[in-house]
Amino acid sequence: MQNFAFFHRNCRNYYYISHFIEKFCNKFYSTKTSIADMQVNSRTYEDAIKCLNTLQTNAAVLKDIRASGGLLNEKSLPEFREFCRVIGYDPSDFNRLNVIHITGTKGKGSTSAFVESILRHYKQDENITKVRTGLYTSPHLTTVRERIRLNGNKLSEEKFTKYFFECWDKLDSNKKEDNNSQSAMPNYFRFLTLMAFHVFMNENVDVAIMEVGVGGEYDSTNIIEKPIVCGVASLGIDHVTTLGDTIEAIAWHKGGIFKRNVPAITVEQPISAFETLKKRAIDINAPFIPINSLDEEILDGIKLGLAGKHQFTNASLAIELCRIWLEKQKSVKLSEKIPKEFIPGLVRVYWPGRAQVLKLSQYPSISWYFDGAHTLESAQACIEWFKNSVLEKDYDPVKRILVFNCTNNRNGSEILKQITSTKPFIKFDHAIFCPNVTFITNQFKLDLQSNSMIIDEKLTSQNNLSESWNQLNSSVEDNHETHVFSSIEESVKWIVEYHRQTNREIQVLVTGSLHLVGGVMAVLNIDV
């Protein structure tokens, strides 16, 4: 707890850092966005994404921030409230969105998807009007529009462009009128959060399901003053430079989304994390409700739309969040462990890139297994899902390929160790390591452009991962090979050519990063 207290006290010292980011982004944007000065009716979706990408934090700046110990600070929400006012809202206006606010280390996105699907498919009888849903999540896989969904569908390019420039133009105009630091353009995630609120307000959704970006206490989604219910998915160690390196510090940040008299629901947690969450709830008089996970006996044959036993926990949290929301908003009381009205949503939920298996018509003998697992805990869940999936199929002979990358200074070697430690052992004939660069030309798809990544022509990180993989597999009797490529496209081309030459059934596991998963999907032209 000493580390946690130290980190909390020093959040105040990072105020200048966030201002530096905003000033940097503002300077960068002002030199790059003559696009925004075009006539409104001539601006396109591509123009919007080009403007949006200028708000990303530069790689060198991000490196300095991480070295300094963090960028979250107690001034972030006051700043964000000001951005809200610039585009015409008081934060209290968002109370009419009847928000379900969800945080966690792993599973918060899947939980959000379950919640959205349950409420969208909910129908008690013919007289009940369907719930109009808004869903805000991050990151995206292949297109930014995935982050903001209406009734389960990502925004159209037309709507995205319209709402984007409605926000952009007001912020831009305000900046030109007032050059003080409070008027700088918000960074990438903050802007999209702001835009999500704007979209949901204008589209008159009945419920906005808001997934926290990082942490909770200082996250821009925490502008919400009176959510209907809050939920915490499974906690673990991640984002240590911004949240702290102990589970207690991380839990403190996650519990920051709790609000007075608003039910705070949590799944099973490590003991110290649970106690931290409980104290945060008690301190502000938020009803604290821990829940148990579903199991196969309770499911009784219901097949969840998301694969893997770890989804039982996420579905459990989603069920309780929806139960409370319907009771508060629709005066509907549902007492069953799994209300029958929730089953359609649990079964039909769609959340790509997480425990997802795809076969493409152009490559019928290649099975693509996608999972964006990027923590030790999620990697364990991923390899268990993959193991169960491939062992239940009788492929003989079959070749297995791992495609892996790890971002944000995470310990890739430990994640690889998790993958190799599963019992029974799952052998990969080939392991491919590449950065999250989409194309061979060292370019990104526009929606996948990342200013926060430094192009390392020596591929130092990927070579280190390759070396770790060889060491972890040194005792494997059968041959295995590693490959390091400079782009996702090159990796996919190698797999396709390998398949052409061998004419074998191939299973490809893509994991370690949602950005990697999205890049592979983009190269394969998979629409999510």
Side-chain angles (χ1 to χ4, degrees), residues 14-75:
Y14 302 125
Y15 175 46
Y16 77 94
I17 296 175
S18 68
H19 278 298
F20 180 65
I21 295 172
E22 305 289 7
K23 286 181 179 179
F24 176 87
C25 290
N26 180 56
K27 180 178 179 181
F28 187 74
Y29 127 86
S30 65
T31 62
K32 296 285 186 177
T33 55
S34 58
I35 294 167
D37 295 326
M38 297 178 179
Q39 291 297 317
V40 172
N41 59 7
S42 69
R43 293 182 293 192
T44 66
Y45 174 70
E46 183 176 327
D47 295 333
I49 299 304
K50 285 180 178 177
C51 287
L52 177 64
N53 284 345
T54 65
L55 301 182
Q56 293 187 38
T57 307
N58 173 270
V61 176
L62 194 60
K63 183 179 179 181
D64 290 342
I65 291 168
R66 285 175 179 153
S68 73
L71 64 90
L72 299 179
N73 61 82
E74 295 171 354
K75 300 293 185 180

Side-chain angles (χ1 to χ4, degrees), residues 104-106 233-240 243-244 246-247 250-251 254 269-270 273 375 377:
T105 304
K106 53 188 185 295
S234 300
L235 298 184
I237 302 296
D238 197 18
H239 297 291
V240 295
L243 304 182
T246 67
I247 195 68
I250 290 169
K254 306 295 183 180
Q269 306 287 4
T375 67
E377 296 86 354

Side-chain angles (χ1 to χ4, degrees), residues 202-258:
N202 280 271
E203 293 289 334
N204 295 311
V205 300
D206 298 310
V207 58
I209 300 107
M210 304 293 294
E211 179 199 6
V212 167
V214 175
E217 174 73 19
Y218 304 122
D219 189 77
S220 57
T221 62
N222 207 26
I223 198 77
I224 303 158
E225 295 178 351
K226 294 182 180 179
I228 302 302
V229 61
C230 299
V232 184
S234 300
L235 298 184
I237 302 296
D238 197 18
H239 297 291
V240 295
T241 57
T242 51
L243 304 182
D245 59 2
T246 67
I247 195 68
E248 296 88 356
I250 290 169
W252 183 88
H253 276 280
K254 306 295 183 180
I257 71 169
F258 297 163

Side-chain angles (χ1 to χ4, degrees), residues 196-397:
F197 282 123
H198 179 57
V199 170
F200 297 154
M201 292 292 285
N202 280 271
E203 293 289 334
N204 295 311
V205 300
D206 298 310
V207 58
I209 300 107
M210 304 293 294
E211 179 199 6
V212 167
V214 175
E217 174 73 19
Y218 304 122
D219 189 77
S220 57
T221 62
N222 207 26
I223 198 77
I224 303 158
E225 295 178 351
K226 294 182 180 179
I228 302 302
V229 61
C230 299
V232 184
S234 300
L235 298 184
I237 302 296
D238 197 18
H239 297 291
V240 295
T241 57
T242 51
L243 304 182
D245 59 2
T246 67
I247 195 68
E248 296 88 356
I250 290 169
W252 183 88
H253 276 280
K254 306 295 183 180
I257 71 169
F258 297 163
K259 302 294 185 295
R260 185 174 302 278
N261 299 322
V262 174
I265 319 301
T266 182
V267 300
E268 297 175 62
Q269 306 287 4
I271 294 174
S272 58
F274 179 88
E275 291 301 324
T276 301
L277 291 173
K278 184 177 180 180
K279 184 177 187 306
R280 293 226 69 181
I282 292 172
D283 286 347
I284 61 167
N285 196 32
F288 187 65
I289 306 172
I291 61 167
N292 297 320
S293 178
L294 296 173
D295 55 32
E296 291 177 342
E297 182 178 350
I298 296 173
L299 285 167
D300 192 24
I302 299 170
K303 187 175 181 180
L304 299 178
L306 301 183
K309 290 187 177 180
H310 58 289
Q311 295 295 354
F312 293 179
T313 300
N314 300 328
S316 304
L317 178 57
I319 288 170
E320 192 61 26
L321 292 171
C322 291
R323 192 197 312 274
I324 291 173
W325 190 90
L326 286 166
E327 181 174 346
K328 285 175 166 283
Q329 297 304 113
K330 302 290 185 181
S331 299
V332 173
K333 290 192 176 183
L334 301 166
S335 58
E336 305 97 323
K337 287 185 177 180
I338 304 180
K340 63 180 183 299
E341 296 89 349
F342 288 8
I343 294 175
L346 291 168
V347 171
R348 299 177 192 172
V349 62
Y350 176 66
W351 194 231
R354 289 83 168 174
Q356 183 182 20
V357 187
L358 289 176
K359 275 199 172 187
L360 307 178
S361 58
Q362 63 268 42
Y363 313 119
S365 297
I366 305 178
S367 297
W368 301 88
Y369 293 79
F370 295 105
D371 193 272
H374 52 272
T375 67
L376 290 176
E377 296 86 354
S378 59
Q380 181 178 11
C382 168
I383 196 62
E384 284 297 315
W385 158 73
F386 180 73
K387 176 189 72 177
N388 293 334
S389 298
V390 299
L391 292 183
E392 70 183 17
K393 299 177 176 63
D394 186 18
Y395 287 129
D396 187 27

